[in-house]
Amino acid sequence: MSGTGPEGWEVVIGLEVHCELRTRTKLFCGCPNVFGDEPNTNVCPVCLGLPGSLPVLNREAVELALRIGRALHCRVQSSVFHRKNYFYPDMPKDFQISQYDVPVNADGWLELPSGKRVGIERAHMEEDTGKTTHVGGGGRIHEATFSLVDYNRAGVPLVEIVSAPDLRGADEAREYVEELRAVLVATGASDGKMEEGSLRVDCNVSVRPEGTTELGTRCEIKNMNSLRSLSRAVAYEAARQVEVLTSGARVVQETRHWDEADGRTHAMRSKEEAFDYRYFPEPDLVTLSPSDEWISAVEAALPVLPAERRRRVAEASGEAPGSEAVSTVVRLDLDDLVMAASSAGADAGLALRRLANEVAGALADAGRVSLDPAAFVELVRMEQDGELTPAQARRVLKELVAVGGAPRDIAGRLGLRSLGSDQLSSVVEQVVTDNPREWERFAGGDDKLVGFFVGKVKAATGGNADLRAATELLRGRRSQSGPSTT
Amino acid sequence: MTGPVEAIARAVRQGEVRAVEVLAEHLGRIARTEPDVHAFNLVTSDVAGRQAEEVDRAVAEGRDPGPLAGVPVALKDLLCTRGVPTTCSSRVLEGWVPPYDATVVTRLAEAGAVFVGKTNMDEFAMGSSTEHSAFGPTRNPHDLSRVPGGSSGGSAAAVAAGFAAASLGSDTGGSIRQPAALCGVVGAKPTYGLVSRYGLVAFASSLDQIGPFALTVADAAMVLDVISGHDERDSTSLPGAQPSASSRLGRGVAGLRVGVIAELVGADGMAPDVAARVEEAAAALSAAGARVEPVSVPSVRYGLSAYYMIAPAEASSNLARYDGVRYGLRKPGADITEMYTATRSAGFGAEVKRRVMLGTYALSAGYYDAYYGKAQRVRTLIIRDFEDAYRSYDVLLSPTAPTTAFELGAKTADPLTMYLNDVCTIPSNLAGHPAVSVPFGRGTDGLPIGVQVLAPALGEPVMFQVAEALEAAAPTGGAA
Amino acid sequence: MRVAYLDPPLERSPGGGCRRVDRGRPGRYDGRVAQPISEDEVAHVARLARLELSQAELEQYTSQLAQVLEHAADIEALEIEGVPPTAHPFPLVNVLREDVPRPCLDRDEVLAQAPDVDQDRFRIPRILGEAP
Ligand SMILES: [Zn+2]
C-alpha cells in the first residue's frame, strides 16, 4: 500500500504521542522513575493511591514539559490539573491526574524535514498508569484467565502531545513521529525509546474523497508500539474506512486496537462510561503558573532543534533543507561535522555527501562511531584539493571512522596518494599514445570512449588517480587538438 | 480555666506524675464506660503504654518530653497510623493497616502525646450523628439515648467521657464543631491549609481540615499549635509560619467587633433554646466590652446546597480507589467489573453510596455546570460576603447546630433532615475559614449547646480569644 | 446588653443594593425545581460508581437524591454568570517538590495488604475491556 493512501482518497491523521519524561522521580512522589525494575518495588503511599496520600508536583517534570512546549512553539500558560475518573486496575486511585481544558502548553507547531508545519493543539502533563500482564489465553486481554498488576510505572510523568489533523498518509505520520522524537530527545525530555514504551503513539484516522475539505468520521487507533506498526496500522485503517464508505456504509467513531499479529485493527469493547470521565479540578493540587523568568530560562537553555539544524546544514552545503542527505546527517547528529567543514572553509557539500553516505553507513553497521572533527575536515580538504581521489578519500574515511588518527598518516600508511597533475598528464599522454585508434574515434565525437580511457588510466595508476581529473584532462586534450581531420 | 491537656503536660513535664499513671487512669475510665459509649473502634493500650513509658524515660533522663508530654489523645479513625488499623468505620477498609503515619500523628507523637485509640465516626466522615458507622453508633456521654453528633462523634464523646484529654477529628462541613456542640466540648476547625491533610483519609479534599477537641479553649489551641504548620507533603498546606493559636488568649474582648450572623440564627429549623443561647453569648461578649451587632452574610443560605454538590462530587472520586485490588475488602466476581461492584456494594454503607451517587451525578456529563460548577461560584459568593463582613467585624458569631443532641435513629430515615444539621457550620468550610464551637449553656432538655465563633482566614488567635471569653461567661450547671 | 432582632437586618444582594432579609425562606426559590432525577439516571450513576442496587434500593435512593437535588434548586436558580468559580479556598500557585528520590515502601509490606497476590504483583480477575 502506498504511503499516501488509497487512490482517490485523502487520509487525514492526527497523532497523540505520550512521552515519558526523563526525571529521576515520579510526577507526584519521590519514587524512582526507572524502567525494568522488579515489580512493585518503586511504590509509595502516593503512587499506590493509598488512603490519605497526597500528590506534590515534581519541579523537574514541569521544567521538561516547558522545554517540550517551547520546542514545539507552544504558548505556555497558567494551568490546572484535573481528575479524569474511570475505573481501571492499572490506575491506583481509579482516576488519572491529567490536564483538561487548560493544558500547560497550547497551540504550537512542529516543522517536518519536508518543511511542512504540523499544528500542535496541546502538550499537557499527566501521570502514567501501572502495567497489567494478562495471564492465560496467550496474553490477550479478553482470553486471559486473570491479570497481574505492577505499579512501578504508575505516576511516571508523561507529556501528551496532541497534533492537529494535519498529517496526510502513513509516511507523513511516520515522519512526524520521527521528527517529534528527535525534538524530544534533543530537549532532554525523553530517551525516545519506543520499545520500552517511553514514547507511545495513538492515532486518529479518517478518510475523505480527494479535493473535499470536510473531515470524515475518525477512529482512534491504539496499541502501535513501533514506527512500522504505526505505518501498517494507518494504511490498514485507511483502506478499511474507504471500503466501508464505498460500500455505502458509514464509519463509526470508535477506538480500535491494532493487532500486530494479524495486521488489522479491531473495535475495542467500549463501555458507556468511556465517554463520561467526570473531569473536575484536582483539589489536592494548586495552579501551575510558570513565571516569565522561568519560561525565558527554559527557552534560553534549549538546544538548537532539528529543523534549525537542517536549515543551517542546507545553507552551508547548498543542499535543500528537505533533502535526504540533510535530514540524514541531522537525524544522526553528524551535522556538527558539516558545520565544522563549513567554518574551516572546506567544501561543506562534499562533507555532507561523505557523512550522509559513508559515515551514515558505518553508523548503521557499528551502532556508534566517533569521528574527530579536525581530522574529518582535513580529509575533506585533501579530497577537495585532489590530494586524494574520491575512492581514496572513502578508504581513508573508513579507516578514520574505524581506528581514528590523522588522515594524512592513514593515507601514507595505506600508500594512498593521488598522482600529481604532471604525473597524471603523462599517464594520460601514454594511454592516448598506446591507443591511437580509440583516440581517433573519441576525438571524432564518440564520447562513450571516455570510459575506455579512464579505465586505462585507472589500470595504469593502480587506482591512485583522480579519475574525475583524468576525465577532464582527456576532454581538454580533445578540445585542444580539435576535431581530427587527418 | 485549666484544662486537662495543660494540667497533665505540666505535671508530667515537672515529674509530678508519670505518664503511665495518667494513661492508667484514662484506660480505667475507658474500661468502665466505653462499652456504653462506644467511642472507639480500637483502643490502643499497647501503643499508648509504649509511648507513655518513653515520655517517662525522657523526663527521668532530663530530655524534653515535648509540649504534650503524657497527654492521652484519641485519633479519629481516618488518620493513618503506621501498623495500627485505620478503618474510617467502613467495611471496605477491613484489615487495612497503613504503612505510614499521617503528618498530624507524627507531630503529636513527637510532642509526647499518648494515643489511646482510634475513634468511631460516620463512615468516611459522611454524616452528622456517628450512626453511619459500620461498627455501630457512638452514644452521647451526656445521654446514652442520644447521638454524639458527627462525623467525629467518637472523638467528641471520648473527650466528653474523659477517655482522652484531647482528640483529633476532621471537619468537612461541621464534623468537628457539631459533635463538639452536642457533646459539650470545644471543637475547632482551623483555616484550610493550616494543618496538613497528609494521612487524613479524604472525604472532600477542598473542604477537609483536621482539628482538635478538648475540654477547654486553651487546651484546644495548645493541641492545634502542635499539629499546625507547613508540610511539604500537602500541596495545599499554607507556606510560612503562622502566629500561635494561643497568642491572644487571656486578653479579653474589650474593643473587639463581633457580628452575629442573622441568616444562621434565623435559619430554618433553629431551635428556640439554641437561638436564645446565642443571644446570651452575644450579650456576654457585649458585657465584656466587645461591640456586638447583627450582620447579614446573605449567601451563607446557599451554603448547604453548594456543599451537597461539592462534597459528594469530590468524595465520589476520592472513594473510587476502594475497589478490592490493592488493600481492604474484596468480594469475588467473575471479571474485574463484577469484582469492583461486588466489593463496593458490600463494603460501603447506605450513606456513602448515597453521596457517591449524588457526586457522580453532579459531575457527570451534562450536569457539571448546573451543579458542581455552579456550587463553586456560590463558594466565591460566600467568600466575598465573608470578606465584606470581616471589613467591619473581627469575628462572627452563630449557633453551631440547630438543636441539641437528638435521639438515635431520629434522622437516619431522612437524609435531607440530617444534612440540615450542618447549615451553620458549612459556610466556614466553603470559605476555608476557621471556626470553633464552644459550649455555652444547655437546652431545655438539659443537653449541651454550642456557640460558634467564626474568624477570617488565619484568624485563629482572635477566634480563640473570643472563644475563651465565651467559655468564661458560659452558664454552668443544668438548663440555663 | 441583649442583642435584639426586632428588625430584619439589611442584606446585600449579590447584584448590589440592599433588601430586607426575608427570614421566612431558607433559600431564594423562584419556583423552578431541579430536574427530578429518574430511576434510570440513578441506575446509570450507580453503574458508573460500580454500585449494585436492588429494585427497592433504586427506588429509595431515587427519591432521596431527588429530595436533595430539589433542595439544591436554590443555587441552580441563582444568576451568577460573572462570578468566577472557587476550586481552592486560597489561590496558592506553583507548589513544587525537588526531583529527589525518597525511600519506597517495602514490597512485602505492600503486598501483605493485597487481597490476592501472584508473582509479586496484584492479582485481579480478568478484564473485559481495554483501558479507555
Ligand atoms: Zn511513589
Side-chain angles (χ1 to χ4, degrees), chain A residues 347 349-351 353-354 379-394 418-421 424-425 428 442 450-451 453-458 461 463-477:
Chain A
D347 183 343
L350 177 58
R353 285 195 297 281
R354 289 287 162 261
L379 176 63
V380 170
R381 246 193 236 291
M382 288 169 73
E383 182 182 354
Q384 179 187 345
D385 295 346
E387 262 186 76
L388 292 174
T389 68
Q392 289 173 332
R394 280 195 288 268
S418 174
L419 290 177
S421 52
L424 186 58
S425 297
V428 167
F442 176 61
V450 75
F453 284 106
V454 169
K456 290 288 177 194
V457 171
K458 188 176 175 184
T461 57
N464 287 340
D466 182 341
L467 300 181
R468 209 174 39 177
T471 309
E472 276 164 26
L473 281 172
L474 285 161
R475 294 228 162 91
R477 193 178 186 281

Side-chain angles (χ1 to χ4, degrees), chain B residues 260-348:
Chain B
V260 183
I261 304 175
E263 289 81 0
L264 298 184
V265 177
D268 236 13
M270 188 59 58
D273 51 353
V274 174
R277 291 300 90 73
V278 174
E279 290 186 11
E280 288 160 23
L285 291 176
S286 177
R291 203 186 78 208
V292 185
E293 292 167 353
V295 60
S296 171
V297 186
S299 55
V300 298
R301 296 182 307 177
Y302 302 106
L304 193 71
S305 294
Y307 176 84
Y308 277 98
M309 293 298 124
I310 292 169
E314 294 181 7
S316 71
S317 175
N318 283 330
L319 271 62
R321 70 191 67 190
Y322 306 107
D323 61 7
V325 173
R326 290 159 300 275
Y327 45 80
L329 184 74
R330 173 185 291 190
K331 290 287 180 189
D335 63 56
I336 188 85
T337 303
E338 279 187 22
M339 187 278 277
Y340 285 158
T341 306
T343 299
R344 292 166 62 79
S345 300
F348 291 141

Side-chain angles (χ1 to χ4, degrees), chain A residues 45 48-56 83 85 87-89 92-95 151 276 278-281 283-284 286, chain B residues 80 96 99-100 197-200 205 232-233 235 317-318 320-323 325-327 340 344 363-365 368 372:
Chain A
L48 273 177
L50 294 189
S53 65
L54 295 171
V56 185
R83 291 185 183 178
N85 294 286
F87 283 90
Y88 210 74
K93 303 179 293 291
D94 287 299
F95 60 78
Y151 291 107
D276 192 353
R278 287 159 281 137
Y279 280 101
F280 74 103
D284 289 328
V286 303
Chain B
C80 288
W96 183 55
Y100 75 109
R197 293 183 294 117
Y198 190 75
L200 163 71
S205 311
E232 60 179 17
R233 291 175 186 268
S235 303
S317 175
N318 283 330
R321 70 191 67 190
Y322 306 107
D323 61 7
V325 173
R326 290 159 300 275
Y327 45 80
Y340 285 158
R344 292 166 62 79
L363 288 177
S364 67
Y368 180 92
Y372 191 79

Side-chain angles (χ1 to χ4, degrees), chain B residues 78-305:
Chain B
L78 47 39
L79 296 169
C80 288
T81 41
R82 184 179 173 118
V84 176
T86 298
T87 69
C88 300
S89 290
S90 179
R91 295 264 174 235
V92 91
L93 273 173
E94 219 163 62
W96 183 55
V97 181
Y100 75 109
D101 277 330
T103 297
V104 291
V105 170
T106 305
R107 290 188 178 172
L108 282 178
E110 284 170 356
V114 169
F115 300 141
V116 292
K118 305 293 293 282
T119 61
N120 196 15
M121 54 188 279
D122 287 298
E123 185 178 5
F124 285 105
M126 297 177 190
S128 307
S129 69
T130 316
E131 292 168 289
H132 300 302
S133 162
F135 310 124
T138 296
R139 290 163 186 272
N140 193 316
H142 293 270
D143 178 345
L144 295 175
S145 71
R146 309 273 175 149
V147 301
S151 66
S152 313
S155 287
V159 170
F163 299 159
S167 62
L168 294 190
S170 66
D171 189 315
T172 307
S175 279
I176 292 175
R177 292 159 287 161
Q178 183 259 12
L182 270 51
C183 288
V185 300
V186 177
K189 182 204 93 76
T191 300
Y192 185 82
L194 185 67
V195 178
S196 168
R197 293 183 294 117
Y198 190 75
L200 163 71
V201 179
F203 162 16
S205 311
S206 75
L207 305 167
D208 295 341
Q209 267 293 285
I210 299 168
F213 288 94
L215 284 181
T216 68
V217 170
D219 276 4
M222 198 169 158
V223 173
L224 177 57
D225 278 343
V226 168
I227 61 172
S228 63
H230 180 69
D231 179 13
E232 60 179 17
R233 291 175 186 268
D234 176 357
S235 303
T236 63
S237 169
L238 294 171
Q242 310 301 342
S244 157
S246 316
S247 58
R248 296 181 65 90
L249 292 181
R251 295 195 186 187
V253 293
L256 287 182
R257 301 161 303 165
V258 179
V260 183
I261 304 175
E263 289 81 0
L264 298 184
V265 177
D268 236 13
M270 188 59 58
D273 51 353
V274 174
R277 291 300 90 73
V278 174
E279 290 186 11
E280 288 160 23
L285 291 176
S286 177
R291 203 186 78 208
V292 185
E293 292 167 353
V295 60
S296 171
V297 186
S299 55
V300 298
R301 296 182 307 177
Y302 302 106
L304 193 71
S305 294

Side-chain angles (χ1 to χ4, degrees), chain A residues 13-347:
Chain A
I13 298 163
L15 292 178
E16 294 169 12
V17 175
H18 286 85
C19 165
E20 284 184 353
L21 300 179
R22 283 180 65 187
T23 52
R24 293 175 70 199
T25 65
K26 294 185 181 182
L27 186 53
F28 298 119
C29 66
C31 291
N33 168 17
V34 287
F35 177 81
D37 277 4
E38 280 287 295
N40 293 308
T41 51
N42 295 329
V43 294
C44 74
V46 177
C47 59
L48 273 177
L50 294 189
S53 65
L54 295 171
V56 185
L57 184 58
N58 182 339
R59 178 189 302 276
E60 180 66 12
V62 177
E63 168 86 21
L64 296 182
L66 295 181
R67 278 194 218 165
I68 293 173
R70 291 308 299 145
L72 296 176
H73 313 280
C74 289
R75 170 166 44 85
V76 173
Q77 57 189 2
S78 190
S79 60
V80 294
F81 287 90
H82 273 67
R83 291 185 183 178
K84 180 180 183 180
N85 294 286
Y86 61 98
F87 283 90
Y88 210 74
D90 60 11
M91 284 197 310
K93 303 179 293 291
D94 287 299
F95 60 78
Q96 182 192 30
I97 303 178
S98 182
Q99 294 190 314
Y100 180 49
D101 49 359
V102 271
V104 58
N105 302 304
D107 300 329
W109 44 266
L110 175 68
E111 185 177 312
L112 302 186
S114 65
K116 174 171 180 164
R117 279 187 182 182
V118 178
I120 302 292
E121 291 182 349
R122 53 192 287 148
H124 69 260
M125 303 181 73
E126 63 185 28
E127 57 179 341
D128 209 344
T129 60
K131 240 185 152 92
T132 309
T133 312
H134 307 295
V135 182
R140 290 187 191 219
I141 185 166
H142 301 303
E143 293 145 33
T145 47
F146 61 92
S147 298
L148 299 172
V149 195
D150 165 20
Y151 291 107
N152 279 349
R153 200 182 64 182
V156 161
L158 293 177
V159 165
E160 181 180 343
I161 301 146
V162 181
S163 87
D166 287 351
L167 297 160
R168 303 287 176 265
D171 288 349
E172 205 167 78
R174 190 186 167 120
E175 192 187 351
Y176 168 85
V177 175
E178 284 179 333
E179 182 65 14
L180 181 60
R181 177 161 67 177
V183 169
L184 296 172
V185 171
T187 56
S190 165
D191 63 18
K193 293 178 182 166
M194 277 187 95
E195 65 284 3
E196 288 184 6
S198 302
L199 275 189
R200 304 195 289 273
V201 181
D202 297 337
C203 182
N204 288 299
V205 179
S206 65
V207 298
R208 62 186 174 197
E210 254 168 26
T212 59
T213 53
E214 205 177 317
L215 287 172
T217 304
R218 67 191 157 90
C219 291
E220 186 178 2
I221 318 297
K222 286 180 179 279
N223 193 42
M224 299 155 296
N225 41 28
S226 69
L227 288 173
R228 187 167 165 272
S229 48
L230 169 66
S231 299
R232 292 178 67 206
V234 168
Y236 172 84
E237 178 61 18
R240 185 191 71 84
Q241 291 185 14
V242 168
E243 199 176 304
V244 167
L245 292 172
T246 48
S247 76
R250 283 173 148 178
V251 173
V252 180
Q253 181 164 352
E254 62 189 353
T255 302
R256 299 179 67 86
H257 195 82
W258 168 249
D259 188 326
E260 189 69 46
D262 72 2
R264 301 154 81 98
T265 62
H266 301 274
M268 285 184 22
R269 300 187 194 197
S270 61
K271 296 196 162 67
E272 54 181 335
E273 61 262 32
F275 306 105
D276 192 353
Y277 293 127
R278 287 159 281 137
Y279 280 101
F280 74 103
E282 165 58 280
D284 289 328
L285 291 169
V286 303
T287 301
L288 173 63
S289 185
S291 64
D292 291 346
E293 295 78 55
W294 192 0
I295 298 166
S296 308
V298 163
E299 233 171 56
L302 277 184
V304 182
L305 296 170
E308 177 58 21
R309 285 160 59 190
R310 285 194 299 270
R311 241 187 307 281
R312 290 184 186 180
V313 169
E315 203 169 291
S317 66
E319 285 283 332
S323 74
E324 186 70 32
V326 171
S327 15
T328 301
V329 298
V330 169
R331 179 162 42 85
L332 300 178
D333 281 332
L334 297 170
D335 49 324
D336 281 351
L337 294 162
V338 180
M339 301 316 290
S342 168
S343 54
D347 183 343

Side-chain angles (χ1 to χ4, degrees), chain B residues 232 260 305 367 374 377 380, chain C residues 5 41 74 78 84 86 102:
Chain B
E232 60 179 17
V260 183
S305 294
Y367 298 105
K374 199 132 199 184
R377 292 172 203 278
T380 308
Chain C
Y5 291 105
E41 284 173 303
D74 60 349
L78 268 179
T86 294
R102 285 195 187 228

